[in-house]
Amino acid sequence: MVSPEERRPPAGDLASLSELDEASLLGGLRERFLRQQTDVGDILIAMNPFQPLPLYGREVSERYRHHQTGTLPPHIFSVASRAYHAMLGHRGGGPQSQCIVISGESGAGKTESTKLLLQHIMNLCKGNSQLEQQILQVNPLLEAFGNAQTVMNDNSSRFGKYIQLRFQKNTVRGAKLSEYLLEKSRVVRQDPGERNFHIFYYMFAGLSSEEKEMYGLLDPSLYRYISGRFGTEDVAQCWKQKYQEVCNALDMVGFQEQEQVDMQAILAGVLSLGNVTFEPEERNGSVKVSEASWGWLKAAAGQFGVQEDELLKCLICTMSVTRGEQIQRFHTQQQAEDARDSIAKVAYGRVFCWIVCKINELLAENVDPEVELSEIGILDIFGFENFAVNRFEQLCINLANEQLQHFFNRHIFELEQAAYKEEELPWETITFNNNEPILKLLLAKPLGLLSLLDEQSAFPQATDRTFVDKLNSSFKGNLHFQPGRGRVLGFSIIHYAGKVQYSAGGFLEKNRDTLPANVRGLFINSITPLLSVLFTATISRTGTLMPHVKPKVVPGADDKFNSTRKQSAGAQFRHSLMMLMERMYSANPHFVRCIKPNSQKEPGVVDSQVVLLQLRYNGLLETIRIRRDGFSWRPSFEEFAERYGIILVKPDVSLTKESCLEILQSTELTGWMCGKSRLFFKYWHQEQLAKYVAQLEGAAVVIQKVFRGFKCRRSYLKLVAEVRAEAQRLQEEAERERSRQLAVEAEAQKRISLPVPMPRKRRPQPCPHPDKSSEPPVPRPRSKLTEFTPFDNFLDPSAPRPVLGTEEETGEEVKMRKCKRGATLRWFKETQAKKVIQDDGAFPSWLHGMISRREAENLLIDKPLGCFLVRISQSRPGYTLTYRGEGRCRHYMIQVQPNARYVILGEDRAHASLTRLVRYHQTVGIQPFMELLTVPCGQKSSESLDYEDLECLKLTPSEDKGGTPPEEQPCPSGPSTSRPGLQSGAAAVLRHVWFRRSKNCQKEQREDKRTKPSSGKKTGSQRAFPRFHSSIRLAMQEIQQLSSTTLKNSAQSCCEALSIKDLEPK
């Protein structure tokens, strides 16, 4: 039963405060800061500590797997557990989709909370699937491309994302990602104290010198788009580690190597394009590229995979077709710079959208469409922002936060209090700050702010000034709108979190989001496949990239970018926000309110004024009051009786009000109320009712266990009795036969006759056995080595080893086994053999052939701790790593991903080759037991190799230019008469000679192709390169030569000035 202590609100819950005011609320938060998190009923309050805390490890996650309110303190893991079990239908009511809304201002810790929620949900649904690790790698990948340093936050999300996790029962089957409003303007401009997106700095810190040469990257101080600033040595080292994590995340999720190379070449092209400058041309008033920028233009063209002159035309002029005649309009210097920045912004934005589309493609659920899937959505969106200068992006960000605040108010206040009034419950109305008028100001049609912005954007002659004048005349007298003072080009909006002043400069241009004419056609015809795909794709109403195959177009044709993108940036954001709200309203919400303790990002410091301001505009005081006095769980009579009818322990419980009251009277719950059509419960009542159901379910399991045991025991005794009866019958028949024989012999002794020669006794013949092929196979008893878990097998050296090859198989099973074996051998020959064989022509000592699980265990049974081997799977294309542990063997499945990366199932790191995987885990333990590989297990003997079937693989000339080794011919069908020792020795010598000759040939080929740099990042396969690699190299040489000439001229001029100064009379 539920104890009196369990009937009270849990510790750490602010709804249990005796005195409810701002001082007690602030004191409760300060008391639990840096130790634990805080609840307001079922709403989590998380304060950013600005430092790592030991609260989120694996041990803590295990404690919260099946936690109940009141037994453990509030935690972000408890929110994940609550949502997961509610999705499965374990918390009253049937299975239902859930959503977790994380809100707070910039720097409050929303991104870290999202990562912790994903980590715990993946731990809850542990299905030993690589998909879970892939989902966890999505966040660091998106952080690199979508986060940046701002004044308020070192890792600020410059986009919003909604992650949908799809479940079949309790197993994750797929994931889908939606992104909202990437701040593309950051690519070309950053305010003081801010940086560009992280990925640019990660590339400079993480790429080797050879890779920088390959992509055409020079010293970071030369690039205008990153303001010529880089970090200190410690920061650069951290960025280098981050770059390795991003590369690993790309490999883990499944990006191909060529896709990664093309993507980084495009990013390098964006940086090079930013260094292109223009100067006026005196002849016709047009502009031209400055002499110092020609090298950068050539580099950008090579990195984009387009022709230099075609890119130049897109920058300095506009081509249009009127009545079949081409008209060329030259740009001014400002227009040329705007065109350059527009290309950079759109290219980066489309790369980011493509990453999201690719993630959705690789993580899509692979189930029958008719199977119904449940869902948990996690919303991590940009926080409320109020900078010194606020632009179009800040308006959209704050609009999203207004919408989330309205969603929170509607669920916590409006719907709940409306239910009390409808059910005629005694209730004193709680007032709250309703922000619906602000949403009408921004979103109303046709006179909302975004509608007026679209209207002005449609007029070619409209300017930011006309837009501001339109706002001032339309919203005159509105309490939430204030016009700019004096001649300031701006306006102010009174948001729920305070007044924000916006600078209207650039509003129309950003909302139009145009691209210079002919750029799309130019990039569609790029020889870089990724860039062609990016600009062949169309944009949906919500701003999502929709790739599709389309024939290439001719540059210069009628290719207006707006013809394929009719929606403005504001309209796209409004549609995507509307779809997001529809998803969230169709799910059961859980709320996490993130609080920033101070504005200086100092660890362990709580600024009371900063925290109090956030508590006020979040309406936290009113939230605590409604959670303390209200009833957050309101099931109907039918839902409650259907879920908890088991408590009455009787069949056919009617779904009526009387049954519900009978159920509740049989429990010790207090504080609930009954309405006209539903029941009203406090937020902790669900946990208490779950305990009653768990007790009955436990009792049902015991009853089932006892009954099944009784049934099996009865069947067993019946079989034993039948066996004993049959044995007794056979014994009686034998006794009777023996008695008859004795009687016959006694009768023969009585007769007196002459001796007759006895016939010679025949040797007994074996009884003919029935046809074994017609009998079903006899199941083989499991070995003592495999009597525990599928991958943990205890080793007992004293136990007899199983005799292999004595099992009887049907013809169909033998045929199927041979078919699978042949398919795996073909897979190994075609894709793996060249990657695994060493330079000396031999396999690594740890690689074994297609041996079984038992054979691997028998090889390791007398080996030291840490000994290991890698064997080829018999039933699938892949490998298995068998490890000799303490008293047991562990078998780890090695998965070969479609992008040719090797991953141990459950690990979070991908490897370029099998050899690298083994070397890595010789220094880093394998999760979850952190076991290190120490000693490789060799062959049982040099004459009997367990990979002899792999020795017969023939490498075709197309697979290796060096020829075919002499001994690698198809295996003869007949038996060999030569001695196996000499044969294997000769084969080894021949193979060594062939591989040495092949290696020399490859060395000569490498010397002939020195133009392609080698990289230490990827080995074992042909390296991918940007398509215009040679053009990029020439452009870089030109830039470096120009820089050295400029430096030399400046030094020479300084010297001349000094010498002239010395010659002047004193």
Side-chain angles (χ1 to χ4, degrees):
M1 293 299 173
V2 182
S3 64
E5 289 77 8
E6 292 173 331
R7 290 195 292 268
R8 294 200 303 264
D13 190 347
L14 295 178
S16 62
L17 292 174
S18 57
E19 296 183 4
L20 191 56
D21 53 23
E22 290 183 349
S24 58
L25 175 58
L26 190 60
L29 289 173
R30 185 188 292 274
E31 179 186 354
R32 297 182 61 78
F33 181 57
L34 292 182
R35 293 191 298 111
Q36 300 289 348
Q37 292 162 330
T38 311
D39 270 341
V40 177
D42 52 355
I43 302 168
L44 184 74
I45 309 297
M47 293 182 69
N48 189 352
F50 291 117
Q51 61 180 335
L53 294 177
L55 299 176
Y56 310 107
R58 180 180 293 273
E59 299 80 8
V60 179
S61 180
E62 288 298 323
R63 290 206 300 269
Y64 280 88
R65 279 178 67 92
H66 306 288
H67 104 284
Q68 297 171 344
T69 301
T71 59
L72 289 173
H75 201 282
I76 190 73
F77 291 162
S78 66
V79 178
S81 295
R82 208 157 44 223
Y84 178 75
H85 292 296
M87 182 264 300
L88 296 176
H90 295 166
R91 294 178 53 82
Q96 183 185 1
S97 294
Q98 311 289 313
C99 72
I100 304 174
V101 183
I102 309 171
S103 59
E105 67 178 51
S106 182
K110 300 182 296 299
T111 301
E112 292 300 320
S113 297
T114 301
K115 290 192 280 190
L116 293 172
L117 285 169
L118 281 173
Q119 170 190 326
H120 189 65
I121 291 175
M122 293 300 103
N123 189 31
L124 287 170
C125 66
K126 202 67 175 175
N128 202 23
S129 167
Q130 197 60 27
L131 177 62
E132 297 156 7
Q133 286 297 332
Q134 289 177 314
I135 292 173
L136 292 176
Q137 293 297 323
V138 168
N139 256 316
L141 180 57
L142 292 179
E143 275 187 36
F145 288 87
N147 286 28
Q149 177 182 323
T150 65
V151 178
M152 301 176 66
N153 186 2
D154 292 342
N155 187 32
S156 176
S157 297
R158 309 318 299 162
F159 73 107
K161 63 176 178 288
Y162 186 65
I163 304 173
Q164 298 167 265
L165 304 175
R166 307 278 175 78
F167 293 86
Q168 184 180 6
K169 296 183 179 178
N170 61 344
T171 304
V172 64
R173 291 297 184 186
K176 183 181 178 182
L177 187 70
S178 303
E179 54 92 12
Y180 306 95
L181 194 70
L182 177 71
E183 189 186 21
K184 293 180 290 188
S185 62
R186 181 169 294 272
V187 176
V188 300
R189 184 188 62 252
Q190 306 94 41
D191 290 331
E194 300 192 349
R195 293 187 185 273
N196 210 321
F197 291 103
H198 292 327
I199 186 61
F200 293 114
Y201 305 96
Y202 294 172
M203 287 174 61
F204 281 113
L207 289 173
S208 65
S209 58
E210 294 176 346
E211 288 170 328
K212 288 179 182 177
E213 181 185 357
M214 181 179 73
Y215 291 119
L217 290 175
L218 299 176
D219 190 87
S221 62
L222 299 175
Y223 293 93
R224 191 176 64 86
Y225 278 169
I226 59 174
S227 303
R229 291 182 288 111
F230 204 61
T232 62
E233 189 69 27
D234 295 338
V235 173
Q237 193 64 30
C238 178
W239 287 342
K240 183 178 181 180
Q241 180 66 29
K242 290 287 187 180
Y243 178 76
Q244 294 172 357
E245 293 176 6
V246 170
C247 292
N248 180 66
L250 289 167
D251 288 339
M252 286 288 295
V253 175
F255 286 78
Q256 298 291 338
E257 182 181 359
Q258 187 62 55
E259 292 174 338
Q260 299 180 35
V261 170
D262 291 346
M263 178 175 61
Q264 295 186 75
I266 294 172
L267 296 182
V270 168
L271 291 176
S272 297
L273 186 64
N275 283 6
V276 177
T277 58
F278 305 93
E279 58 187 19
E281 195 168 358
E282 297 178 357
R283 291 180 301 171
N284 52 7
S286 60
V287 294
K288 64 178 182 179
V289 175
S290 62
E291 292 296 330
S293 300
W294 275 105
W296 294 110
L297 180 65
K298 293 178 182 178
Q303 289 154 341
F304 287 142
V306 298
Q307 294 296 328
E308 174 191 341
D309 55 344
E310 296 293 338
L311 179 60
L312 177 61
K313 288 180 183 178
C314 294
L315 292 173
I316 65 173
C317 65
T318 300
M319 301 290 295
S320 61
V321 179
T322 303
R323 296 180 181 179
E325 181 182 357
Q326 275 196 351
I327 300 176
Q328 188 176 23
R329 296 187 182 92
F330 288 97
H331 291 164
T332 64
Q333 184 171 350
Q334 184 62 46
Q335 289 174 335
E337 292 173 355
D338 292 342
R340 174 199 63 198
D341 293 344
S342 296
I343 294 173
K345 289 188 292 184
V346 173
Y348 188 87
R350 293 213 168 191
V351 166
F352 184 81
C353 290
W354 172 79
I355 291 173
V356 173
C357 291
K358 190 71 176 178
I359 290 172
N360 290 336
E361 176 188 336
L362 294 169
L363 301 187
E365 58 272 10
N366 186 18
V367 296
D368 191 340
E370 297 180 357
V371 175
E372 186 175 354
L373 299 177
S374 302
E375 182 179 295
I376 296 179
I378 302 176
L379 178 65
D380 173 24
I381 207 163
F382 15 59
F384 190 87
E385 293 181 348
N386 188 0
F387 297 138
V389 179
N390 300 285
R391 300 184 176 89
F392 176 74
E393 292 83 6
Q394 277 67 48
L395 177 67
C396 295
I397 287 171
N398 293 339
L399 168 59
N401 282 272
E402 289 281 359
Q403 193 75 66
L404 292 182
Q405 181 68 15
H406 181 263
F407 178 78
F408 179 82
N409 290 340
R410 180 167 175 78
H411 268 278
I412 300 300
F413 296 105
E414 290 183 14
L415 296 179
E416 190 166 327
Q417 297 191 95
Y420 301 153
K421 187 178 294 186
E422 182 183 349
E423 296 289 324
E424 299 179 355
L425 262 66
W427 178 257
E428 182 179 350
T429 303
I430 296 176
T431 59
F432 60 95
N433 184 18
N434 191 353
N435 67 334
E436 195 165 347
I438 306 174
L439 289 177
K440 289 182 178 179
L441 167 70
L442 298 171
L443 297 174
K445 292 182 178 181
L447 296 177
L449 190 147
L450 290 185
S451 297
L452 294 176
L453 180 60
D454 286 345
E455 177 187 311
Q456 291 292 305
S457 300
F459 296 133
Q461 303 302 323
T463 63
D464 295 324
R465 170 57 66 184
T466 60
F467 168 63
V468 172
D469 293 340
K470 186 73 173 179
L471 294 183
N472 293 338
S473 61
S474 300
F475 300 133
K476 187 177 181 180
N478 192 305
L479 298 177
H480 300 281
F481 179 87
Q482 292 181 2
R485 295 181 179 180
R487 300 184 59 84
V488 175
L489 187 63
F491 57 92
S492 299
I493 294 179
I494 314 299
H495 289 281
Y496 78 99
K499 177 181 175 181
V500 179
Q501 184 175 353
Y502 295 98
S503 173
F507 259 59
L508 293 184
E509 186 63 31
K510 290 178 180 178
N511 188 55
R512 289 169 180 152
D513 201 10
T514 56
L515 187 71
N518 305 325
V519 168
R520 183 167 177 263
L522 173 66
F523 284 167
I524 285 177
N525 287 283
S526 167
I527 67 167
T528 301
L530 177 58
L531 194 63
S532 180
V533 168
L534 295 182
F535 284 85
T536 306
T538 56
I539 303 295
S540 68
R541 292 184 63 195
T542 58
T544 304
L545 196 71
M546 298 189 301
H548 67 281
V549 179
K550 185 177 180 181
K552 294 189 174 183
V553 299
V554 178
D558 186 14
D559 186 48
K560 296 290 186 180
F561 186 66
N562 287 336
S563 64
T564 59
R565 185 174 183 176
K566 299 177 182 178
Q567 294 289 325
S568 65
Q572 289 175 5
F573 183 62
R574 180 168 51 197
H575 287 308
S576 62
L577 201 59
M578 184 172 58
M579 291 185 62
L580 173 65
M581 290 297 111
E582 289 178 1
R583 291 193 189 107
M584 292 169 58
Y585 275 112
S586 65
N588 180 40
H590 305 260
F591 296 99
V592 177
R593 307 292 269 185
C594 295
I595 303 293
K596 185 163 66 171
N598 61 79
S599 301
Q600 291 73 35
K601 298 179 281 189
E602 296 181 4
V605 177
V606 178
D607 188 331
S608 300
Q609 293 301 319
V610 172
V611 173
L612 199 57
L613 179 63
Q614 296 172 77
L615 298 181
R616 285 172 181 165
Y617 71 66
N618 281 323
L620 212 55
L621 202 63
E622 294 79 8
T623 304
I624 295 173
R625 185 175 292 114
I626 199 170
R627 275 293 177 261
R628 186 181 66 178
D629 302 334
F631 304 90
S632 60
W633 181 39
R634 303 176 294 276
S636 64
F637 294 144
E638 293 79 8
E639 293 172 350
F640 184 82
E642 185 178 3
R643 171 62 180 160
Y644 297 104
I646 187 177
I647 294 178
L648 294 179
V649 197
K650 66 178 184 181
D652 302 329
V653 177
S654 59
L655 307 180
T656 61
K657 176 180 179 180
E658 290 73 19
S659 299
C660 296
L661 296 176
E662 185 180 357
I663 293 170
L664 290 170
Q665 288 168 2
S666 66
T667 66
E668 297 182 0
L669 261 67
T670 59
W672 53 271
M673 296 187 71
C674 181
K676 294 190 298 183
S677 62
R678 60 184 64 247
L679 296 167
F680 293 82
F681 294 97
K682 300 289 185 182
Y683 56 88
W684 65 83
H685 282 150
Q686 277 182 294
E687 295 288 349
Q688 297 175 6
L689 286 169
K691 291 181 181 180
Y692 287 104
V693 174
Q695 290 175 359
L696 293 172
E697 288 176 348
V701 170
V702 172
I703 293 171
Q704 291 175 352
K705 179 185 71 172
V706 173
F707 173 74
R708 289 174 179 173
F710 167 75
K711 188 177 179 181
C712 292
R713 192 179 302 109
R714 187 173 61 179
S715 300
Y716 170 74
L717 294 176
K718 182 179 179 181
L719 290 174
V720 169
E722 291 177 356
V723 170
R724 288 177 178 173
E726 181 67 16
Q728 186 175 0
R729 185 182 65 80
L730 293 175
Q731 185 177 2
E732 291 175 355
E733 288 183 358
E735 289 292 337
R736 285 196 297 270
E737 181 66 20
R738 193 179 302 110
S739 300
R740 190 181 65 80
Q741 290 289 343
L742 291 174
V744 170
E745 290 177 1
E747 186 68 24
Q749 288 292 334
K750 293 180 181 179
R751 298 175 185 170
I752 301 173
S753 61
L754 296 174
V756 179
M758 297 294 293
R760 186 175 181 180
K761 290 185 179 181
R762 291 184 179 180
R763 182 172 296 176
Q765 299 293 330
C767 297
H769 291 284
D771 186 13
K772 293 185 179 181
S773 62
S774 62
E775 295 182 358
V778 180
R780 179 178 59 178
R782 285 182 65 85
S783 166
K784 290 186 177 181
L785 301 176
T786 58
E787 62 184 3
F788 286 88
T789 64
F791 59 93
D792 290 348
N793 304 321
F794 283 91
L795 298 176
D796 184 7
S798 62
R801 302 191 184 186
V803 181
L804 302 175
T806 59
E807 303 85 2
E808 297 178 359
E809 294 180 314
T810 63
E812 189 66 27
E813 289 178 342
V814 172
K815 184 178 179 181
M816 182 62 67
R817 183 169 60 83
K818 288 183 177 180
C819 182
K820 289 182 179 180
R821 186 182 183 91
T824 307
L825 281 173
R826 285 194 300 274
W827 165 80
F828 183 85
K829 172 205 169 186
E830 295 170 0
T831 65
Q832 302 294 308
K834 288 179 61 179
K835 299 179 181 179
V836 175
I837 294 178
Q838 301 176 139
D839 291 340
D840 60 354
F843 289 117
S845 58
W846 40 262
L847 180 67
H848 290 246
M850 201 175 291
I851 62 176
S852 67
R853 182 189 185 107
R854 289 187 177 183
E855 289 175 309
E857 291 165 356
N858 291 338
L859 285 171
L860 293 174
I861 196 168
D862 54 355
K863 300 293 182 181
L865 186 68
C867 190
F868 69 97
L869 60 87
V870 177
R871 54 191 173 90
I872 301 174
S873 175
Q874 294 178 315
S875 59
R876 61 175 179 85
Y879 301 92
T880 302
L881 189 149
T882 304
Y883 176 85
R884 172 69 161 91
E886 185 69 37
R888 66 182 65 191
C889 258
R890 301 193 199 278
H891 301 271
Y892 297 99
M893 185 182 296
I894 300 176
Q895 181 176 351
V896 184
Q897 298 189 150
N899 60 350
R901 296 295 181 265
Y902 299 80
V903 184
I904 293 181
L905 204 63
E907 282 283 321
D908 58 357
R909 187 175 181 87
H911 305 271
S913 66
L914 196 61
T915 304
R916 289 196 172 200
L917 183 146
V918 171
R919 290 176 182 171
Y920 176 79
H921 287 293
Q922 286 177 334
T923 56
V924 180
I926 304 175
Q927 296 178 2
F929 305 103
M930 303 309 294
E931 294 170 325
L932 290 175
L933 307 180
T934 56
V935 183
C937 177
Q939 298 292 315
K940 190 173 182 180
S941 68
S942 59
E943 298 182 359
S944 177
L945 305 177
D946 58 20
Y947 51 73
E948 286 181 350
D949 46 1
L950 307 182
E951 295 284 332
C952 300
L953 295 177
K954 181 179 178 181
L955 297 176
T956 61
S958 61
E959 294 172 335
D960 196 290
K961 302 298 182 183
T964 305
E967 87 287 2
E968 292 196 355
Q969 303 296 332
C971 291
S973 57
S976 174
T977 57
S978 60
R979 287 178 294 175
L982 294 176
Q983 186 179 6
S984 61
V989 173
L990 289 173
R991 185 167 59 248
H992 178 72
V993 171
W994 177 80
F995 271 96
R996 185 172 58 188
R997 188 190 322 147
S998 173
K999 187 177 179 182
N1000 292 335
C1001 294
Q1002 293 174 1
K1003 184 177 179 181
E1004 293 174 0
Q1005 293 175 3
R1006 284 198 299 268
E1007 290 176 354
D1008 294 337
K1009 299 180 179 180
R1010 288 184 177 178
T1011 55
K1012 291 187 178 182
S1014 61
S1015 172
K1017 181 184 173 184
K1018 309 260 168 70
T1019 58
S1021 62
Q1022 187 176 1
R1023 180 65 196 274
F1025 288 90
R1027 297 306 195 275
F1028 274 1
H1029 175 251
S1030 57
S1031 301
I1032 296 172
R1033 284 172 54 88
L1034 292 175
M1036 292 298 103
Q1037 292 173 5
E1038 183 176 339
I1039 294 170
Q1040 290 172 335
Q1041 184 178 1
L1042 182 63
S1043 300
S1044 61
T1045 304
T1046 304
L1047 185 62
K1048 183 178 180 180
N1049 291 338
S1050 61
Q1052 186 176 358
S1053 61
C1054 290
C1055 292
E1056 291 177 355
L1058 289 175
S1059 60
I1060 292 172
K1061 186 177 180 181
D1062 292 339
L1063 293 175
E1064 290 178 355
K1066 299 293 183 179

